[in-house]
């Protein structure tokens, strides 16, 4: 990127391609969003302009055709067409700004986090649901499971992680309320037929792996060191532990509980 040294980056999102590395979207402190083609290593689009509000988060739609951009200074979420770069729609988010976004990988559903959580059906103008999640300091992390059935979230002044079954139509209450020892800044989730695993990265250093099941007590595994990233896949969880200059990879399985 020609002027990369003049930018400060505020957020990013990666959309993996079916046959290539896909696209990386980077939010900048001047309000613009830069789209990279990772296979060719080139910038393919610049969204917004220098009059746009600073992005707080951004996510691709599940089909990769759109990208959603939020700002803590704006009540709306902006949807752009990835191919053309044109603005498609402004979605109503939260009056005091939108802090975090999550896109469902199986449906056109967007989770919008401010002081609470809203689910938006992006295939229509209908608001899908408002979840019973209230965070006075705002949402710090929000994520859907790969199957699209569950959503996890937490807030800056909270010592709890909430798990919702987004398939439930009769209730907007959390399926689980899980206690944690510190403020959580990042979440990753893995599920199977009998339990849900959640990796929580604490603010500062350390974190934990929580296992919740309807027929068993909550299990907790503490993780030492700075968690740089975590990926939950199939029957194991991969955790990158800092320092960032020389990270180590930790693999967690059922045998660790």
């Amino acid at each position: 990127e020609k002027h990369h040294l003049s930018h400060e980056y505020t957020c990013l999102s990666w959309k993996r391609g079916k046959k290539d590395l896909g696209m990386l979207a980077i939010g900048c402190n001047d309000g613009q969003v830069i789209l990279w083609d990772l296979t060719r290593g080139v910038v393919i689009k610049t969204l917004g302009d220098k009059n746009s509000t600073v992005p707080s988060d951004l996510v691709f739609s599940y089909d990769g055709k759109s990208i959603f951009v939020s700002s803590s200074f704006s009540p709306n979420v902006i949807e752009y067409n990835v191919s053309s770069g044109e603005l498609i729609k402004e979605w109503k988010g939260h009056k005091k700004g939108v802090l975090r976004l999550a896109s469902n990988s199986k449906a056109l559903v967007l989770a919008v986090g401010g002081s609470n959580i809203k689910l938006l059906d992006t295939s229509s103008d209908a608001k899908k649901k408002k979840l019973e999640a209230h965070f006075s300091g705002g949402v710090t992390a929000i994520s859907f499971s790969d199957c699209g059935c569950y959503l996890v979230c937490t807030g800056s002044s909270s010592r709890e992680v909430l798990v919702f079954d987004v398939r439930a139509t009769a209730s907007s209450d959390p399926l689980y309320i899980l206690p944690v020892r510190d403020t959580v800044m990042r979440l990753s989730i893995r599920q199977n037929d009998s339990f849900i695993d959640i990796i929580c990265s604490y603010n500062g250093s350390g974190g934990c792996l929580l296992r919740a099941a309807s027929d068993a007590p909550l299990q907790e595994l503490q993780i030492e060191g700075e968690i740089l990233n975590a990926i939950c896949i199939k029957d194991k969880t991969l955790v990158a532990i800092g320092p960032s200059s020389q990270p180590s990879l930790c693999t967690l399985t059922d045998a660790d509980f």
Side-chain angles (χ1 to χ4, degrees):
E1 186 194 351
K2 186 178 180 181
H3 302 292
H4 69 280
L5 294 178
S6 65
H7 294 305
E8 290 183 11
Y9 301 130
T10 60
C11 51
L12 58 83
S13 179
W14 175 40
K15 183 64 177 179
R16 180 183 299 174
K18 293 182 179 180
K19 297 182 179 180
D20 56 26
L21 294 175
M23 292 179 293
L24 180 70
I26 304 176
C28 303
N29 65 332
D30 61 3
Q32 296 180 320
V33 175
I34 300 169
L35 293 181
W36 282 82
D37 180 328
L38 294 181
T39 301
R40 294 184 294 150
V42 297
V43 173
I44 53 175
K45 284 285 185 303
T46 299
L47 308 176
D49 55 42
K50 294 186 178 181
N51 294 319
S52 303
T53 53
V54 178
S56 59
D57 204 2
L58 39 86
V59 292
F60 288 95
S61 61
Y62 85 104
D63 56 8
K65 294 180 180 180
S66 297
I67 187 168
F68 299 92
V69 182
S70 69
S71 174
S72 59
F73 301 104
S74 173
N76 297 328
V77 177
I78 300 176
E79 179 183 3
Y80 291 100
N81 182 292
V82 169
S83 296
S84 67
E86 295 179 352
L87 190 152
I88 298 175
K89 184 179 175 65
E90 291 193 28
W91 298 88
K92 290 183 179 180
H94 296 278
K95 291 181 179 179
K96 295 183 179 180
V98 178
L99 302 175
R100 294 289 180 264
L101 299 172
S103 179
N104 193 312
S105 63
K106 301 297 182 182
L108 291 170
V109 175
L110 183 71
V112 180
S115 58
N116 54 41
I117 306 289
K118 293 179 182 178
L119 298 181
L120 303 180
D121 180 354
T122 56
S123 64
S124 69
D125 289 331
K127 182 172 70 174
K128 187 177 178 65
K129 186 188 291 187
K130 181 178 179 180
L131 302 178
E132 289 299 322
H134 304 282
F135 303 105
S136 59
V139 172
T140 56
I142 181 171
S143 181
F144 281 103
S145 61
D146 287 341
C147 68
C149 299
Y150 301 100
L151 180 141
V152 292
C153 62
T154 189
S156 63
S157 58
S158 175
R159 294 292 180 93
E160 295 176 335
V161 172
L162 307 184
V163 183
F164 293 90
D165 185 343
V166 296
R167 300 166 297 178
T169 57
S171 174
S172 57
D173 294 327
L175 180 66
Y176 299 111
I177 301 176
L178 309 177
V180 289
R181 303 184 184 187
D182 203 343
T183 301
V184 175
M185 302 306 294
R186 293 186 300 276
L187 292 167
S188 301
I189 178 172
R190 175 173 72 93
Q191 85 296 321
N192 67 13
D193 294 337
S194 57
F195 61 80
I196 298 172
D197 278 354
I198 303 166
I199 286 282
C200 304
S201 302
Y202 293 149
N203 182 22
S205 181
C208 65
L209 171 59
L210 302 175
R211 173 164 292 182
S214 59
D215 58 352
L218 175 68
Q219 294 178 280
E220 181 179 1
L221 180 67
Q222 291 299 311
I223 302 172
E224 301 297 329
E226 181 185 0
I227 299 177
L228 303 175
N229 203 355
I231 302 175
C232 300
I233 53 175
K234 294 184 179 180
D235 59 346
K236 60 186 176 182
T237 300
L238 303 179
V239 183
I241 299 176
S244 57
S245 59
Q246 194 174 3
S248 59
L249 187 64
C250 175
T251 302
L252 304 175
T253 66
D254 292 348
D256 292 299
F257 282 97

